[in-house]
């Protein structure tokens, strides 16, 4: 699966996850979490080889238009409707090191806030030229990029009048299965962010701010697309210099 | 003042939401033509070594209702206990086995299904062998951070008795929540998110 270049092999266990920084499982303001949150304590264990390892995907996994949501579902010669944007950033670990070869997958609603999904019943129209999924693999510097249209806000059945802020869902693979992460990216300046019960599951305002992409004027392409920058931080790895592992890893 | 450690904070998790299939299994939700196939649907080929098995199950919420909008990922060693990962230092894993699978629970009956092989044993940190197991990761609407757990094999009685993780479970009656049931070559592993017989989830 892997076509990573030669690097020092990574065999250290990951930093323990700061579960005060992440949302707790039980967050009643987000109603679905009430019956889908474990009540027993998690069983804590330092990472074993089963979590330190993880799948790594080759660049051959990625098709030519996988990082272009404006065109990857559109009919030939046509394109998706909406505000054209480029979203880019780096995948780093907690030690600030680039994570090359990371698979980043993303999905989103169209410009009107409508998802292409059979369970979705929102009355905003489907865009015949927009599917809503894409993916990219980070380069040697941990960098990824994709083109899309800015998604719209949409209502959802939680409170009587709850609306999701404009957002793009992200799924990221690092180099170990313990780094597996799914999150959501929001847009700088969106007042909806601070009204959202899903955003509100995260207790620390600084953690929420880590999910807000900045308008990146420097990378905005004149007469084409504005740019947003969204960096992602995965769990860091301990150094292995004092590890005690008789069998290889 | 002391020196700054300079570590970054991990990006906080958010729920995968009800439309996770658009991104992770688009062909399952009728977004066809963007990706030829969904990643993680095929783990084995004709040349894969080891005993062929199917791993199937369902996910239940705290009211006993089926969770029909989950996505499950599994990660496991090959038949001799090697992981197909750049961090695997003990040898070269079977190149015909990915070790990683992804499956959405079906919208009608909530079932997930993987065609895979039975994994070999891998060592714990101190060199003791762990019992054969498959690592699970579960995301869905209502789950704020992906849930890690493991499936163990009921026909590995001796290995299970000395497995370092299973030994760490304080309430012994909960060990059974990580044990699949077997019928022929199919192992069934149901996951209970909350309440009665709640599955043991890991902070790992």
């Amino acid at each position: 699966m892997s076509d990573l270049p030669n690097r020092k092999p990574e065999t250290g266990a990951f930093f323990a996850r700061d579960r005060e920084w992440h949302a707790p499982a039980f967050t009643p303001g987000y109603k679905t979490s009430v019956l889908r949150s474990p009540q027993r304590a998690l069983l804590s264990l330092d990472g074993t080889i089963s979590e330190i390892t993880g799948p790594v995907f080759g660049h051959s996994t990625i098709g030519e238009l996988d990082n272009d949501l404006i065109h990857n579902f559109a009919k030939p010669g046509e394109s998706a409707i909406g505000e054209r944007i480029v979203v880019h950033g780096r995948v780093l670990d907690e030690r600030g090191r680039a994570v090359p070869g990371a698979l980043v997958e993303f999905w989103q609603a169209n410009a009107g806030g409508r998802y292409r999904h059979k369970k979705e019943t929102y009355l905003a129209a489907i865009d015949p030229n927009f599917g809503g999924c894409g993916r990219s693999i980070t380069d040697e510097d941990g960098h990824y990029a994709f083109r899309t249209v800015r998604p719209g806000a949409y209502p959802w059945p939680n409170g009587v009048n709850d609306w999701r802020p404009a957002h793009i869902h992200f799924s990221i693979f690092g180099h170990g299965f313990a780094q597996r992460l799914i999150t959501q990216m929001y847009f700088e300046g969106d007042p909806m962010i601070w009204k959202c019960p899903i955003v509100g599951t995260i207790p620390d305002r600084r953690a929420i701010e880590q999910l807000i992409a900045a308008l990146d004027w420097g990378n905005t392409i004149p007469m084409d697309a504005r740019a947003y920058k969204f960096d992602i931080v995965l769990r860091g790895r301990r150094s292995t210099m004092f590890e005690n592992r008789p069998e290889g890893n | 003042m002391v020196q700054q450690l300079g570590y970054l904070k991990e990006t906080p998790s958010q729920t995968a939401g009800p439309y996770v299939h658009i991104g992770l299994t688009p062909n399952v939700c009728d977004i066809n033509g963007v990706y030829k196939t969904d990643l993680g649907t095929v783990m084995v080929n004709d040349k894969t070594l080891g005993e062929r098995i199917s791993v199937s199950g369902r996910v239940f919420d705290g009211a006993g209702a089926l969770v029909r909008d989950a996505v499950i990922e599994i990660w496991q060693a090959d038949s001799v206990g090697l992981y197909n990962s750049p961090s695997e230092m003990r040898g070269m894993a079977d190149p015909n086995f990915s070790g990683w699978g992804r499956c959405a629970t079906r919208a009608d009956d909530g079932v997930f299904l993987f065609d895979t092989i039975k994994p070999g044993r891998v060592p714990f940190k101190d060199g003791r062998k762990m019992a054969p197991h498959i690592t699970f990761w579960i995301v869905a609407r209502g789950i704020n951070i992906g849930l890690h757990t493991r499936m163990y094999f009921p026909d590995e009685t001796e290995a299970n008795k000395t497995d370092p993780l299973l030994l760490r479970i304080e309430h012994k009656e909960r060990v059974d929540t990580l044990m699949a049931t077997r019928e022929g070559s199919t192992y069934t592993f149901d996951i209970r998110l909350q309440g009665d017989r709640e599955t043991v989830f890991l902070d790992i």
Side-chain angles (χ1 to χ4, degrees):
Chain A
M1 289 175 101
S2 162
D3 57 2
L4 279 181
N6 290 326
R7 314 173 79 224
K8 195 176 165 209
E10 299 171 302
T11 55
F14 292 97
F15 293 173
R17 210 163 224 166
D18 180 356
R19 290 184 181 268
E20 312 265 304
W21 183 252
H22 288 282
F26 178 74
T27 48
Y30 173 28
K31 294 182 181 180
T32 313
S33 76
V34 171
L35 283 173
R36 293 186 174 193
S37 44
Q39 292 170 325
R40 306 286 202 115
L42 302 178
L43 177 66
S44 293
L45 201 69
D46 195 21
T48 74
I49 191 170
S50 303
E51 296 80 27
I52 290 167
T53 55
V56 173
F57 300 87
H59 288 270
S60 56
T61 309
I62 304 294
E64 198 185 340
L65 289 177
D66 283 8
N67 68 344
D68 184 353
L69 282 69
I70 293 177
H71 296 108
N72 70 11
F73 193 79
K75 290 184 268 300
E78 300 189 14
S79 56
I81 292 171
E83 298 179 43
R84 297 161 64 86
I85 58 172
V86 169
V87 178
H88 77 108
R90 294 176 73 204
V91 179
L92 306 165
D93 72 10
E94 288 169 289
R95 300 168 82 165
R97 301 184 304 186
V99 183
L103 176 67
V104 183
E105 299 165 287
F106 18 85
W107 67 100
Q108 63 168 91
N110 70 21
R114 175 69 186 262
Y115 281 98
R116 184 177 284 277
H117 193 287
K118 46 188 169 266
K119 275 183 64 189
E120 166 70 283
T121 54
Y122 182 35
L123 43 73
I126 288 272
D127 178 346
N129 288 310
F130 187 74
C133 62
R135 58 191 179 189
S136 174
I137 288 184
T138 57
D139 66 16
E140 268 308 289
D141 297 322
H143 199 257
Y144 73 90
F146 61 100
R147 265 182 190 276
T148 186
V149 294
R150 181 174 160 131
Y154 68 90
W156 58 300
N158 187 62
V160 173
N161 190 25
D162 279 338
W163 291 71
R164 296 301 324 283
H167 65 276
I168 300 176
H169 297 264
F170 277 70
S171 164
I172 310 103
F173 287 82
H175 297 168
F177 206 58
Q179 286 177 304
R180 201 70 186 83
L181 184 72
I182 281 184
T183 189
Q184 301 184 27
M185 181 201 105
Y186 304 98
F187 291 84
E188 178 181 357
D190 185 349
M192 304 291 296
I193 294 170
W194 307 103
K195 297 176 183 295
C196 175
I198 288 179
V199 174
T201 60
I202 298 173
D204 191 322
R205 186 182 173 99
R206 292 168 302 164
I208 293 171
E209 286 167 350
Q210 202 175 346
L211 298 182
I212 305 175
L215 177 63
D216 180 359
W217 205 243
N219 273 303
T220 286
I221 309 165
M223 305 300 286
D224 182 347
R226 283 172 303 155
Y228 282 87
K229 184 159 192 285
F230 184 59
D231 287 342
I232 296 158
V233 181
L234 301 179
R235 293 169 70 178
R237 275 190 124 108
R238 285 206 306 265
S239 152
T240 51
M241 62 187 110
F242 297 117
E243 290 288 316
N244 175 26
R245 292 209 174 94
E247 292 209 25
N249 197 33
Chain B
M1 287 292 283
V2 299
Q3 291 188 9
Q4 298 295 303
L5 291 171
Y7 293 134
L8 304 172
K9 294 299 287 184
E10 187 186 8
T11 297
S13 173
Q14 291 259 266
T15 180
Y19 309 126
V20 56
H21 315 97
I22 294 173
L24 301 191
T25 59
N27 289 296
V28 164
C29 68
D30 302 328
I31 298 178
N32 304 116
V34 180
Y35 307 149
K36 266 183 234 130
T37 54
D38 291 335
L39 280 181
T41 48
V42 179
M43 300 177 69
V44 297
N45 63 36
D46 293 345
K47 296 181 197 141
T48 308
L49 303 173
E51 179 191 345
R52 303 302 168 111
I53 62 169
S54 296
V55 172
S56 176
R58 295 169 295 173
V59 183
F60 297 93
D61 73 11
L66 281 174
V67 175
R68 302 166 206 261
D69 52 10
V71 168
I72 316 281
E73 290 183 7
I74 63 172
W75 173 241
Q76 63 166 99
D78 69 8
S79 61
V80 298
L82 292 170
Y83 282 101
N84 192 340
S85 161
S87 298
E88 174 59 86
M89 295 290 103
R90 296 167 301 145
M92 172 83 180
D94 182 353
N96 294 301
F97 182 59
S98 72
W100 175 76
R102 174 188 276 169
C103 185
T105 55
R106 287 197 294 247
D108 51 356
D109 58 8
V111 170
F112 63 82
L113 173 66
F114 296 96
D115 289 318
T116 182
I117 51 119
K118 191 168 176 188
R121 297 179 74 172
V122 300
F124 193 60
K125 288 168 56 100
D126 57 9
R128 280 182 290 166
K129 289 263 182 203
M130 296 194 272
H133 62 271
I134 296 177
T135 296
F136 272 65
W137 191 66
I138 303 124
V139 294
R141 175 174 66 105
I143 296 177
N144 291 328
I145 181 164
L147 295 166
H148 283 275
T149 188
R150 281 187 186 179
M151 181 198 112
Y152 284 84
F153 294 83
D155 40 356
E156 295 285 341
T157 323
E158 287 309 306
N160 290 339
K161 268 185 208 162
T162 56
D163 180 80
L165 185 142
L166 295 178
L167 288 173
R168 281 283 297 275
I169 299 174
E170 189 181 340
H171 299 95
K172 292 303 162 205
E173 75 280 5
R174 299 197 72 207
V175 169
D176 270 352
T177 69
L178 302 187
M179 215 53 73
T181 58
R182 180 180 181 173
E183 204 177 306
S185 62
T186 299
Y187 291 87
T188 301
F189 183 55
D190 287 338
I191 294 157
R192 291 176 179 79
L193 298 179
Q194 183 190 85
D196 189 33
R197 289 190 293 148
E198 180 175 306
T199 300
V200 172
F201 295 105
L202 308 173
D203 174 27
I204 200 154

